[in-house]
PDB file of all heavy atoms in Angstrom:
ATOM      1  N   ASN A  39      -6.301  10.585  21.497  1.00  0.00           N
ATOM      2  CA  ASN A  39      -7.543  10.886  20.752  1.00  0.00           C
ATOM      3  C   ASN A  39      -7.743   9.949  19.571  1.00  0.00           C
ATOM      4  O   ASN A  39      -8.512  10.272  18.660  1.00  0.00           O
ATOM      5  CB  ASN A  39      -7.525  12.336  20.271  1.00  0.00           C
ATOM      6  CG  ASN A  39      -6.384  12.564  19.271  1.00  0.00           C
ATOM      7  OD1 ASN A  39      -5.257  12.187  19.563  1.00  0.00           O
ATOM      8  ND2 ASN A  39      -6.664  13.161  18.143  1.00  0.00           N
ATOM      9  N   ALA A  40      -7.058   8.816  19.582  1.00  0.00           N
ATOM     10  CA  ALA A  40      -7.143   7.915  18.400  1.00  0.00           C
ATOM     11  C   ALA A  40      -8.592   7.465  18.145  1.00  0.00           C
ATOM     12  O   ALA A  40      -9.313   7.148  19.076  1.00  0.00           O
ATOM     13  CB  ALA A  40      -6.263   6.680  18.626  1.00  0.00           C
ATOM     14  N   GLY A  41      -8.943   7.454  16.878  1.00  0.00           N
ATOM     15  CA  GLY A  41     -10.236   6.961  16.447  1.00  0.00           C
ATOM     16  C   GLY A  41     -11.299   8.042  16.387  1.00  0.00           C
ATOM     17  O   GLY A  41     -11.153   9.117  16.980  1.00  0.00           O
ATOM     18  N   ASN A  42     -12.333   7.774  15.643  1.00  0.00           N
ATOM     19  CA  ASN A  42     -13.479   8.682  15.533  1.00  0.00           C
ATOM     20  C   ASN A  42     -14.693   7.921  15.062  1.00  0.00           C
ATOM     21  O   ASN A  42     -14.577   6.814  14.539  1.00  0.00           O
ATOM     22  CB  ASN A  42     -13.145   9.888  14.602  1.00  0.00           C
ATOM     23  CG  ASN A  42     -12.128   9.546  13.550  1.00  0.00           C
ATOM     24  OD1 ASN A  42     -12.428   8.759  12.648  1.00  0.00           O
ATOM     25  ND2 ASN A  42     -10.919  10.049  13.687  1.00  0.00           N
ATOM     26  N   THR A  81     -17.810  12.707  15.931  1.00  0.00           N
ATOM     27  CA  THR A  81     -17.059  13.017  17.146  1.00  0.00           C
ATOM     28  C   THR A  81     -16.185  14.257  16.911  1.00  0.00           C
ATOM     29  O   THR A  81     -15.845  14.578  15.766  1.00  0.00           O
ATOM     30  CB  THR A  81     -16.184  11.813  17.573  1.00  0.00           C
ATOM     31  OG1 THR A  81     -15.467  11.336  16.435  1.00  0.00           O
ATOM     32  CG2 THR A  81     -17.035  10.718  18.152  1.00  0.00           C
ATOM     33  N   ALA A  82     -15.846  14.929  17.990  1.00  0.00           N
ATOM     34  CA  ALA A  82     -15.033  16.138  17.897  1.00  0.00           C
ATOM     35  C   ALA A  82     -13.570  15.830  17.658  1.00  0.00           C
ATOM     36  O   ALA A  82     -13.067  14.789  18.160  1.00  0.00           O
ATOM     37  CB  ALA A  82     -15.179  16.942  19.195  1.00  0.00           C
ATOM     38  N   ALA A  83     -12.887  16.692  16.932  1.00  0.00           N
ATOM     39  CA  ALA A  83     -11.446  16.550  16.721  1.00  0.00           C
ATOM     40  C   ALA A  83     -10.765  16.539  18.084  1.00  0.00           C
ATOM     41  O   ALA A  83     -11.110  17.352  18.961  1.00  0.00           O
ATOM     42  CB  ALA A  83     -10.937  17.721  15.904  1.00  0.00           C
ATOM     43  N   GLY A  84      -9.841  15.609  18.262  1.00  0.00           N
ATOM     44  CA  GLY A  84      -9.058  15.581  19.524  1.00  0.00           C
ATOM     45  C   GLY A  84      -9.767  14.921  20.686  1.00  0.00           C
ATOM     46  O   GLY A  84      -9.227  14.832  21.774  1.00  0.00           O
ATOM     47  N   SER A  85     -11.022  14.424  20.476  1.00  0.00           N
ATOM     48  CA  SER A  85     -11.726  13.854  21.618  1.00  0.00           C
ATOM     49  C   SER A  85     -11.207  12.451  21.910  1.00  0.00           C
ATOM     50  O   SER A  85     -10.835  11.710  21.010  1.00  0.00           O
ATOM     51  CB  SER A  85     -13.260  13.847  21.375  1.00  0.00           C
ATOM     52  OG  SER A  85     -13.547  13.217  20.167  1.00  0.00           O
ATOM     53  N   PRO A 124     -15.305  19.272  14.016  1.00  0.00           N
ATOM     54  CA  PRO A 124     -15.455  17.833  13.718  1.00  0.00           C
ATOM     55  C   PRO A 124     -14.093  17.160  13.579  1.00  0.00           C
ATOM     56  O   PRO A 124     -13.084  17.807  13.311  1.00  0.00           O
ATOM     57  CB  PRO A 124     -16.226  17.810  12.401  1.00  0.00           C
ATOM     58  CG  PRO A 124     -16.005  19.135  11.775  1.00  0.00           C
ATOM     59  CD  PRO A 124     -15.760  20.118  12.891  1.00  0.00           C
ATOM     60  N   THR A 125     -14.078  15.826  13.754  1.00  0.00           N
ATOM     61  CA  THR A 125     -12.874  15.031  13.598  1.00  0.00           C
ATOM     62  C   THR A 125     -12.011  15.478  12.402  1.00  0.00           C
ATOM     63  O   THR A 125     -12.564  15.822  11.353  1.00  0.00           O
ATOM     64  CB  THR A 125     -13.249  13.525  13.426  1.00  0.00           C
ATOM     65  OG1 THR A 125     -12.071  12.835  13.005  1.00  0.00           O
ATOM     66  CG2 THR A 125     -14.329  13.289  12.443  1.00  0.00           C
ATOM     67  N   SER A 126     -10.708  15.387  12.584  1.00  0.00           N
ATOM     68  CA  SER A 126      -9.789  15.745  11.488  1.00  0.00           C
ATOM     69  C   SER A 126      -9.941  14.766  10.324  1.00  0.00           C
ATOM     70  O   SER A 126      -9.501  15.022   9.216  1.00  0.00           O
ATOM     71  CB  SER A 126      -8.354  15.725  11.997  1.00  0.00           C
ATOM     72  OG  SER A 126      -8.020  14.412  12.450  1.00  0.00           O
ATOM     73  N   GLU A 127     -10.573  13.608  10.602  1.00  0.00           N
ATOM     74  CA  GLU A 127     -10.735  12.624   9.548  1.00  0.00           C
ATOM     75  C   GLU A 127     -12.117  12.700   8.922  1.00  0.00           C
ATOM     76  O   GLU A 127     -12.607  11.721   8.320  1.00  0.00           O
ATOM     77  CB  GLU A 127     -10.387  11.233  10.067  1.00  0.00           C
ATOM     78  CG  GLU A 127      -8.887  11.147  10.182  1.00  0.00           C
ATOM     79  CD  GLU A 127      -8.331   9.892  10.807  1.00  0.00           C
ATOM     80  OE1 GLU A 127      -9.101   9.079  11.267  1.00  0.00           O
ATOM     81  OE2 GLU A 127      -7.101   9.798  10.824  1.00  0.00           O
ATOM     82  N   HIS A 150     -13.943   4.299  13.210  1.00  0.00           N
ATOM     83  CA  HIS A 150     -12.513   4.268  12.855  1.00  0.00           C
ATOM     84  C   HIS A 150     -11.729   4.112  14.159  1.00  0.00           C
ATOM     85  O   HIS A 150     -11.968   4.824  15.144  1.00  0.00           O
ATOM     86  CB  HIS A 150     -12.082   5.554  12.151  1.00  0.00           C
ATOM     87  CG  HIS A 150     -10.598   5.742  12.148  1.00  0.00           C
ATOM     88  ND1 HIS A 150      -9.719   4.839  11.579  1.00  0.00           N
ATOM     89  CD2 HIS A 150      -9.800   6.716  12.700  1.00  0.00           C
ATOM     90  CE1 HIS A 150      -8.477   5.245  11.767  1.00  0.00           C
ATOM     91  NE2 HIS A 150      -8.485   6.374  12.453  1.00  0.00           N
ATOM     92  N   HIS A 152      -7.707   2.210  15.926  1.00  0.00           N
ATOM     93  CA  HIS A 152      -6.331   1.785  15.655  1.00  0.00           C
ATOM     94  C   HIS A 152      -6.124   0.383  16.267  1.00  0.00           C
ATOM     95  O   HIS A 152      -5.513   0.251  17.340  1.00  0.00           O
ATOM     96  CB  HIS A 152      -5.334   2.801  16.257  1.00  0.00           C
ATOM     97  CG  HIS A 152      -5.430   4.171  15.658  1.00  0.00           C
ATOM     98  ND1 HIS A 152      -4.707   5.244  16.146  1.00  0.00           N
ATOM     99  CD2 HIS A 152      -6.133   4.659  14.606  1.00  0.00           C
ATOM    100  CE1 HIS A 152      -4.978   6.341  15.422  1.00  0.00           C
ATOM    101  NE2 HIS A 152      -5.856   5.982  14.478  1.00  0.00           N
ATOM    102  N   PRO A 198      -2.900  10.913   7.026  1.00  0.00           N
ATOM    103  CA  PRO A 198      -4.219  10.925   7.698  1.00  0.00           C
ATOM    104  C   PRO A 198      -4.872  12.306   7.668  1.00  0.00           C
ATOM    105  O   PRO A 198      -4.187  13.337   7.826  1.00  0.00           O
ATOM    106  CB  PRO A 198      -3.901  10.514   9.134  1.00  0.00           C
ATOM    107  CG  PRO A 198      -2.615   9.748   9.039  1.00  0.00           C
ATOM    108  CD  PRO A 198      -1.862  10.391   7.894  1.00  0.00           C
ATOM    109  N   HIS A 222      -1.924   2.829   9.792  1.00  0.00           N
ATOM    110  CA  HIS A 222      -2.709   3.871  10.459  1.00  0.00           C
ATOM    111  C   HIS A 222      -3.851   3.295  11.283  1.00  0.00           C
ATOM    112  O   HIS A 222      -3.900   3.500  12.482  1.00  0.00           O
ATOM    113  CB  HIS A 222      -3.234   4.874   9.407  1.00  0.00           C
ATOM    114  CG  HIS A 222      -4.209   5.882   9.968  1.00  0.00           C
ATOM    115  ND1 HIS A 222      -4.763   6.874   9.219  1.00  0.00           N
ATOM    116  CD2 HIS A 222      -4.753   5.996  11.186  1.00  0.00           C
ATOM    117  CE1 HIS A 222      -5.578   7.587   9.969  1.00  0.00           C
ATOM    118  NE2 HIS A 222      -5.588   7.077  11.171  1.00  0.00           N
TER     119      HIS A 222
HETATM  120  P1  13P B   1      -9.390  13.062  15.557  1.00  0.00           P
HETATM  121  O1  13P B   1      -9.153  13.300  17.032  1.00  0.00           O
HETATM  122  O2  13P B   1      -9.240  14.332  14.781  1.00  0.00           O
HETATM  123  O3  13P B   1     -10.732  12.399  15.321  1.00  0.00           O
HETATM  124  O4  13P B   1      -8.250  12.074  15.019  1.00  0.00           O
HETATM  125  C1  13P B   1      -8.135  10.794  15.560  1.00  0.00           C
HETATM  126  C2  13P B   1      -7.368   9.824  14.700  1.00  0.00           C
HETATM  127  O5  13P B   1      -7.698   8.671  14.649  1.00  0.00           O
HETATM  128  C3  13P B   1      -6.207  10.333  13.975  1.00  0.00           C
HETATM  129  O6  13P B   1      -5.679   9.327  13.153  1.00  0.00           O
END
Side-chain angles (χ1 to χ4, degrees):
N39 63 311
N42 29 68
T81 48
S85 54
T125 168
S126 61
E127 285 174 356
H150 163 60
H152 297 174
H222 172 178

